[in-house]
Every structure is written in C-alpha cells, then in structure tokens.
C-alpha cells in the first residue's frame, strides 16, 4: 500500500481497510466520466444526516479537494471521502447492479446497524 499526503489530503493506492469500489462499479464510474467528457472529477461518497433511519449516502462527482479527504484509486477512478464520513464507510463496498429489476450503485456497509425499507438510509 502506498500513500501520498499533500495539503491535508491522503491518497491511498490499495487500502487494507476503507471503502472499496468493485471492478464493475469502477468501470461504470469510468464510463460515466467518459460520457460527461470529464477526466478531472472524482467520485465523492459521503454520509449525511437524513433519511428515515438517520443517515443517508450521497454519491456524486466532485472536483474539489477538502481538508482531511481520503482519496482511494480503483482502476483509474478516484473515490473521495471526507474526514467525517470515512469512519462510517470503513469496510463498505460499492458495487453497480444492472438487472431487469434494478439498476444502480449499491453499498454494502458493515457499519450499518439497520436500514430503512427502501435501503436509502441507515443507522
């Protein structure tokens, strides 16, 4: 595992712990970035108050670097978590599902003690 630190931003190449982006999810994110014509964006994963269970996930493209961010790279895709979200996301895995019933990103988080029926929020 290699780590670079500059301006209070940590970049990790292969985490032993932390958030994981599956190969399928990394390929989907890369395809979305190509579709947008952007190579300067990262996938930011955050935990925010809200939802019926108390906390909800946010996944969005971001070009900012915030103090305390952790940046992890998977297949050329950079995944960014802020310092407040990182503890909630340690050990979480992000995948992309594309079936006849469902399409989208899924998060398997061992830190979640419970979730709402729709699966959009957790506690």
């Amino acid at each position: 595992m290699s780590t670079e630190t500059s301006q209070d931003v940590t970049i990790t190449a292969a985490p032993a712990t932390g958030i994981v982006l599956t190969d399928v999810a990394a390929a989907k994110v890369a395809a979305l970035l190509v579709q947008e014509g952007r190579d300067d964006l990262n996938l930011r994963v955050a935990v925010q108050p809200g939802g019926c269970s108390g906390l909800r996930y946010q996944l969005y493209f971001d070009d900012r670097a915030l103090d305390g961010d952790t940046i992890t790279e998977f297949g050329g895709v950079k995944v960014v978590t802020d310092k407040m979200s990182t503890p909630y996301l340690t050990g979480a895995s992000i995948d992309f599902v594309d079936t006849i019933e469902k399409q989208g990103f899924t998060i398997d988080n061992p830190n979640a003690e419970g979730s709402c029926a729709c699966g959009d929020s957790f506690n």
Side-chain angles (χ1 to χ4, degrees):
M1 176 166 76
S2 65
T3 302
E4 299 175 28
T5 303
S6 64
Q7 298 177 350
D8 292 330
V9 175
T10 303
I11 302 174
T12 306
T17 61
I19 197 164
V20 174
L21 192 65
T22 67
D23 291 342
V24 173
K28 183 61 177 182
V29 171
L32 290 170
L33 288 171
V34 167
Q35 184 178 354
E36 291 293 318
R38 302 282 301 263
D39 62 0
D40 61 330
L41 298 176
N42 304 315
L43 177 65
R44 184 169 291 275
V45 183
V47 173
Q48 298 291 323
C52 25
S53 291
L55 298 170
R56 62 185 173 91
Y57 300 110
Q58 288 188 320
L59 279 76
Y60 57 96
F61 291 124
D62 195 2
D63 63 354
R64 299 171 300 149
L66 305 175
D67 284 346
D69 274 354
T70 298
I71 304 172
T72 310
E73 192 168 327
F74 299 93
V77 172
K78 292 181 181 173
V79 178
V80 181
T81 56
D82 63 78
K83 64 183 172 183
M84 291 185 57
S85 298
T86 297
Y88 292 105
L89 296 168
T90 299
S93 175
I94 300 175
D95 196 9
F96 184 79
V97 177
D98 189 2
T99 67
I100 196 164
E101 296 174 343
K102 180 178 182 181
Q103 182 183 44
F105 290 96
T106 62
I107 300 176
D108 180 20
N109 189 348
N111 301 307
E113 294 177 5
S115 63
C116 62
C118 63
D120 288 337
S121 68
F122 70 101
N123 60 14

